[in-house]
Amino acid sequence: MAYKILVVKGDGIGPEVVGEALQVLKVIARLSAIDFEFKEGLIGGHALDQFGVPLPDDVLKNAQDSDAILLGAVGGPKWDNPAAEKRPEQALLGLRKALGLFANIRPVKAVKDLIGASPIKSDIINGVDLVVIRELTGGIYYGKPSERRTGAEGREGIDTCIYSEAEIKRVLKFAFELARERRKKLTSVDKANVLSTSRLWREIAVELSQQYKDVAVENQLVDSMAMHLIRRPRDFDVIVTENMFGDILTDEASVLAGSMGLLPSASLGEDVNSAGCRIGLYEPIHGSAPDIAGRDEANPLAAILSAAMLLEHSLGLRAEAEIITKAVEDVIHDGHRTRDLQGGGGTKMIGCKAMGRLVREKIESAES
Ligand code: IPM
Ligand code: MG
C-alpha cells in the first residue's frame, strides 16, 4: 500500500525548499522500496490569487485523506495588507486546527560543524540538544472575539487568550511522555504572575507531575525563559509552552542551532488513521523569505529534515529518517554552506538546488 503524502509548497521560498525535500523522499522511496503517492495542493498567497481563499476546500479534504502533509511556507509582501480579511497565514492556522494538530515539535540541536555560524559564543551552545513542544491549536491564536471595533476612545483591537483544562492536559502529557524518552527533564513555560490561562497551565503541570515522578519538572516564566535560553541553553531538554510563547521562543531558539534554515518541525494530533499512520503536518520553522525567493539561495535543509520527521513520526520509518538526517550532517561536515550559514567556517558556498542534490548523493552513496 502506498503512503499518501500531500505536498503544499506555499509561497516565497516554499516551492524551492519543498521541491528539494520532495526529491529526497523520492530517492528514499526508490532505495528502500517504499511506495509514496504524492498529491500537490495550492495554499496561502498563491491560492488567494487563484481561488480567492487561502485554504481551498479540496486541499483541506486532501489533507484529511492523507497520511502526512509536507508544507513549505506561506505569506509575502503582496498579501500583507493589514486591512485584508483573507490572509495567507490563515491557511496554516486552518490546517492545524482542522486536523487537530495540537502538539508542535521543534527540535533544536547545535550542529558541531556550524557552531561558528551562530552569533552566540561557542562555549554556550556546544552540546545544545533540546525540543520545544508548542501547543498549536489554542490560546490567543484562536480565541474569540478576535476583531477590530470602535469603542468610546476610538479604534480598538481585541484578541482573546483562552485554554481549557483538556487542551492544556493533552499537550502537557505529550511533553511528559517525550521527556520520559529523553533526559527526563521538563521545563513548562508560562506567565503565571500575570495571566489566568498561565495560572491554570501551571496548576495542571504541577498536578500532572504527580503521575510522572521520574521526570524532573520546573516552571519558568516566559520572560526569564527568553534569557535562560540564550545564557544556559544546555540546561534544557524538553520545553513545553502555550501557542504564542512557543512561537516566539522557537525563533529565538533557532539561533542556537546556527540558522533558522536548519530547523524542521512536526505537528501531530491524536488521530491514527486506518493505514496506521499518525496524521501530521511537517514544515520548516522558517517563513517564506520573499526577499530571496526564486534566487536559488534558500537553505533546503529545514525542509529536508522536516521530510525526515515525517517518515519517523507519521509513517514510523525511523531508519529511513535517520538516513536523511545523517546525510544532512555529512553534507554540512564536508563544508557545504548556503548563504544563511555564513560564518560556519565552511568554504563551499552553494545554492538551494546544489544543497538538495548533495544530500541526495550522500543518501545514494550510503545505501549502495
Ligand atoms: C510559525 C509561524 C506561523 C505561526 C505564522 C506564519 C502564522 O510563525 O509556524 O512559527 O505564527 O504559527
Ligand atoms: Mg513563528
Side-chain angles (χ1 to χ4, degrees), residues 106 134 141 246-248 250-251 285:
R106 300 189 164 187
R134 168 187 175 194
Y141 270 58
D247 179 44
I248 298 168
T250 49
D251 268 30
I285 85 149

Side-chain angles (χ1 to χ4, degrees), residues 75-305:
K78 183 175 174 197
W79 307 284
D80 257 353
N81 175 7
E85 230 168 69
K86 292 178 188 157
R87 304 170 56 79
E89 290 78 6
Q90 290 162 343
L92 204 48
L93 303 185
L95 270 176
R96 290 169 178 172
K97 190 73 172 180
L99 298 172
L101 308 173
F102 67 91
N104 181 220
I105 313 172
R106 300 189 164 187
V108 180
K109 214 170 168 172
V111 181
K112 252 207 162 55
D113 296 294
L114 286 177
I115 295 232
S118 172
I120 302 175
K121 290 195 185 96
S122 55
D123 58 326
I124 289 182
I125 53 173
N126 213 339
V128 166
D129 179 6
L130 58 87
V131 181
V132 180
I133 303 299
R134 168 187 175 194
E135 199 292 326
L136 205 60
T137 51
I140 202 162
Y141 270 58
Y142 294 95
K144 294 275 180 306
S146 167
E147 63 197 22
R148 290 280 297 262
R149 60 194 189 189
T150 308
E153 289 167 46
R155 286 172 296 174
E156 289 178 345
I158 178 165
D159 295 292
T160 305
C161 187
I162 176 166
Y163 267 110
S164 71
E165 178 174 356
E167 282 176 311
I168 296 172
K169 239 185 203 155
R170 66 179 179 183
V171 74
L172 280 173
K173 273 192 169 164
F174 188 97
F176 269 109
E177 296 288 338
L178 180 66
R180 224 173 217 177
E181 285 170 28
R182 291 175 47 103
R183 302 198 301 272
K184 299 189 170 40
K185 180 163 186 218
L186 180 66
T187 306
S188 175
V189 179
D190 61 41
K191 185 72 185 171
N193 54 347
V194 178
L195 303 175
S196 293
T197 41
S198 279
R199 280 191 287 274
L200 178 61
W201 183 284
R202 190 174 287 211
E203 203 172 293
I204 295 171
V206 171
E207 286 164 15
L208 269 180
S209 66
Q210 296 307 309
Q211 293 172 35
Y212 295 89
K213 290 223 161 97
D214 51 328
V215 176
V217 190
E218 61 169 356
N219 295 287
Q220 287 282 355
L221 295 171
V222 64
D223 48 353
S224 54
M225 187 62 193
M227 179 180 68
H228 297 313
L229 206 47
I230 296 297
R231 287 179 79 153
R232 49 181 189 90
R234 260 196 310 271
D235 288 351
F236 301 102
D237 183 25
V238 179
I239 298 169
V240 61
T241 190
E242 65 95 62
N243 205 342
M244 190 164 71
F245 298 160
D247 179 44
I248 298 168
L249 289 179
T250 49
D251 268 30
E252 187 193 9
S254 75
V255 179
L256 303 168
S259 165
M260 209 138 118
L262 286 173
L263 290 200
S265 87
S267 305
L268 298 175
E270 256 144 354
D271 297 345
V272 173
N273 68 15
S274 54
C277 300
R278 190 169 187 177
I279 300 183
L281 172 69
Y282 299 84
E283 52 179 321
I285 85 149
H286 63 66
S288 59
D291 51 322
I292 58 163
R295 289 167 42 179
D296 193 30
E297 277 180 18
N299 183 350
L301 295 180
I304 291 171
L305 292 170

Side-chain angles (χ1 to χ4, degrees), residues 9 19 35 65 82 85 93 117 186 264 325 333 349 351 353 366-367:
K9 295 178 176 166
D35 216 359
D65 289 343
E85 230 168 69
L93 303 185
L186 180 66
T325 310
H333 186 68
M349 277 301 157
K353 286 199 182 92
E367 288 265 299

